[in-house]
Amino acid sequence: MLGNLLSSTEATVVVAGSGLLLSFLFGTWTPLLTALLVFQVIDIITGIMVGGKKREISSESFFDGFKKKVGMWLLLIVANIIDVTLVGGVPAMKSAVSGLLIAGEVMSLLE
C-alpha cells in the first residue's frame, strides 16, 4: 500500500508542489532558518517538560506558544518578500529577522 502511494504520480505532484510553495515563501533555505527551527523545537520540548514537572500543562498555553511560532515564520515570509522586491533576492532582511528570532528563542530557553 505504502509503495503504491509513494510511486504514484499524485504523491510526486504533492511533494513537488509543496517544495515549490515553500521555496516561493521562504526563498533559499539558510543555516539561520535551520538554527531557528532547531531552537523552536527545543523550546517546545523544554516547555512541555517544565509544564509536566510543574503539573501546569494545558492545551491553551501550548496553542498560544504555537501561534507565536507561526507568527515568527509569517514574519520571515514578509522579510523574504522584502528581500526579493527591494534587495534583489539577497537574504539581508531574512537573515536579520532570523537572527533576532533566534536571539529570542535562546532567551526563552534560558528562562
Side-chain angles (χ1 to χ4, degrees):
M1 178 73 179
L2 185 60
N4 291 339
L5 177 66
L6 295 178
S7 65
S8 71
T9 305
E10 293 86 10
T12 305
V13 169
V14 167
V15 170
S18 300
L20 180 67
L21 179 64
L22 288 174
S23 177
F24 174 75
L25 293 174
F26 295 106
T28 55
W29 192 265
T30 64
L32 286 173
L33 294 177
T34 302
L36 177 63
L37 185 61
V38 167
F39 280 121
Q40 285 185 339
V41 169
I42 292 170
D43 186 42
I44 290 170
I45 292 170
T46 57
I48 291 171
M49 290 171 50
V50 168
K53 187 175 181 179
K54 294 181 178 180
R55 303 203 185 274
E56 295 176 357
I57 293 180
S58 73
S59 59
E60 183 179 339
S61 63
F62 180 80
F63 188 64
D64 288 342
F66 185 75
K67 288 189 295 189
K68 289 179 184 177
K69 299 211 183 305
V70 168
M72 291 177 189
W73 288 95
L74 291 174
L75 187 61
L76 282 166
I77 291 171
V78 171
N80 182 56
I81 292 170
I82 291 170
D83 283 339
V84 169
T85 56
L86 298 179
V87 191
V90 177
M93 185 64 95
K94 182 170 61 175
S95 296
V97 170
S98 297
L100 180 68
L101 294 175
I102 289 170
E105 288 295 325
V106 169
M107 292 299 292
S108 175
L109 288 172
L110 293 176
E111 290 179 341

